[in-house]
């Protein structure tokens, strides 16, 4: 898909790198005005520079309600609307065993991945409701549909994102608002060939489950699915949890 988003405003969190950057590029290529939001303003700025005039960079801490509210108010004040929200920002855990997971790690991962996704969604929904339309695409994970793809905090947080996706989809099915989630497996970040979301320990734990050299996606492969789910071509898809993992979840 290369067209179809002209005149639409897409807000993408975690747009400074990896999947989020791929999403920002994909939506801009399809004609959208892209707001590239990231906790690292310099990374958001770099994404916007690569895209050009169709992108605007903004800093945001999705775990902080005041930061989220300020972001959304700025976007609406500047562009008048938010048509697409891609809740992509998130962090990983250390893949420690449950008994070795600290309270600090648990609370940080849940606060960013799950509460952060909720905060941005909550802030954007009133504006989508006012427009009578909107598409939300959440980035979940293989860890959101299985128990062995990450540590306890990340797994719990992404299961929560799946549940939040379905709840929002059900609550607003009659309001012209759709909410779906993508479920990526490992993804190349583009930085020195590293795999986004997995340090060396994580990769070692995953090797018995998947063959990484056959099942690692490029960010644009994930972004293309997000673009489809937000498009009019997916107008009857709501509450779907879509694996984008080369068949890993089918095993």
């Amino acid at each position: 898909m290369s067209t179809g988003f002209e005149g639409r405003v897409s807000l993408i969190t975690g747009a400074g790198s990896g999947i989020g950057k791929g999403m920002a590029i994909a939506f801009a290529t399809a004609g959208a005005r892209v707001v590239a939001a990231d906790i690292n303003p310099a990374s958001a700025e770099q994404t916007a520079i690569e895209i050009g005039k169709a992108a605007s960079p903004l800093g945001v801490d999705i775990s902080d309600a005041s930061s989220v509210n300020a972001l959304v108010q700025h976007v609406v004040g500047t562009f008048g609307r938010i048509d697409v929200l891609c809740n992509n920002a998130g962090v990983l855990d250390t893949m420690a065993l449950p008994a070795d997971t600290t309270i600090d790690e648990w609370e940080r991962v849940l606060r960013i991945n799950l509460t952060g996704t909720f905060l941005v969604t909550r802030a954007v929904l009133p504006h989508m409701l006012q427009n009578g339309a909107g598409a939300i695409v959440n980035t979940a994970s293989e860890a959101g549909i299985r128990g062995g793809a990450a540590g306890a905090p990340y797994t719990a947080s992404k299961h929560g994102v799946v549940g939040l996706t379905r709840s929002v989809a059900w609550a607003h099915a009659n309001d012209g608002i759709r909410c779906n989630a993508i479920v990526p497996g490992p993804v190349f970040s583009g930085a020195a060939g590293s795999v986004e979301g997995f340090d060396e320990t994580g990769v070692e734990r995953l090797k018995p489950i998947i063959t990484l050299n056959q099942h690692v996606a490029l960010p644009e492969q994930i972004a293309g699915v997000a673009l489809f789910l937000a498009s009019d071509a997916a107008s009857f898809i709501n509450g779907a949890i879509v694996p984008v993992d080369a068949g890993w979840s089918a095993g």
Side-chain angles (χ1 to χ4, degrees):
M1 298 176 65
S2 60
T3 60
F5 285 85
E6 290 80 2
R8 301 186 190 184
V9 177
S10 299
L11 170 59
I12 300 168
T13 66
S17 62
I19 295 172
K21 183 175 181 178
M23 289 177 176
I25 293 170
F27 278 92
T29 301
R33 179 75 198 192
V34 170
V35 178
D38 199 277
I39 194 169
N40 186 337
S43 296
E45 177 71 28
Q46 184 57 43
T47 295
I49 289 172
E50 292 185 31
I51 291 173
K53 63 181 181 180
S56 300
L58 287 173
V60 65
D61 177 358
I62 65 166
S63 71
D64 180 76
S66 61
S67 179
V68 168
N69 292 337
L71 167 74
V72 172
Q73 291 302 322
H74 179 83
V75 174
V76 174
T78 302
F79 301 109
R81 59 192 299 123
I82 297 175
D83 301 288
V84 176
L85 168 62
C86 290
N87 280 311
N88 174 74
V91 295
L92 299 177
D93 59 27
T94 61
M95 292 195 71
L97 293 172
D100 299 325
T101 300
T102 66
I103 293 296
D104 286 346
E105 180 180 16
W106 173 270
E107 291 182 345
R108 175 176 179 268
V109 173
L110 268 290
R111 180 72 188 175
I112 294 171
N113 291 359
L114 181 54
T115 302
T117 298
F118 165 72
L119 290 174
V120 181
T121 301
R122 184 182 68 167
V124 168
L125 275 172
H127 304 286
M128 289 185 170
L129 287 167
Q130 185 175 358
N131 291 336
I136 300 171
V137 180
N138 295 326
T139 300
S141 166
E142 280 290 326
I145 59 174
R146 61 175 68 240
Y154 188 80
T155 299
S157 71
K158 292 301 185 177
H159 271 72
V161 168
V162 168
L164 177 63
T165 299
R166 289 172 169 153
S167 178
V168 172
W170 182 87
H172 295 292
N174 295 322
D175 298 322
I177 297 170
R178 298 182 297 107
C179 185
N180 297 291
I182 54 176
V183 178
V187 180
F188 277 115
S189 68
S194 61
V195 180
E196 184 175 35
F198 298 95
D199 57 17
E200 291 183 6
T201 301
V203 169
E204 287 302 315
R205 284 202 182 159
L206 288 172
K207 278 183 177 179
I209 305 171
I210 60 172
T211 305
L212 287 175
N213 63 356
Q214 295 178 358
H215 295 90
V216 180
L218 298 173
E220 52 265 33
Q221 291 176 299
I222 309 299
V225 180
L227 188 70
F228 166 71
L229 289 173
S231 74
D232 292 342
S235 61
F236 212 63
I237 300 177
N238 189 29
I241 311 301
V242 183
V244 191
D245 61 5
W248 182 14
S249 58

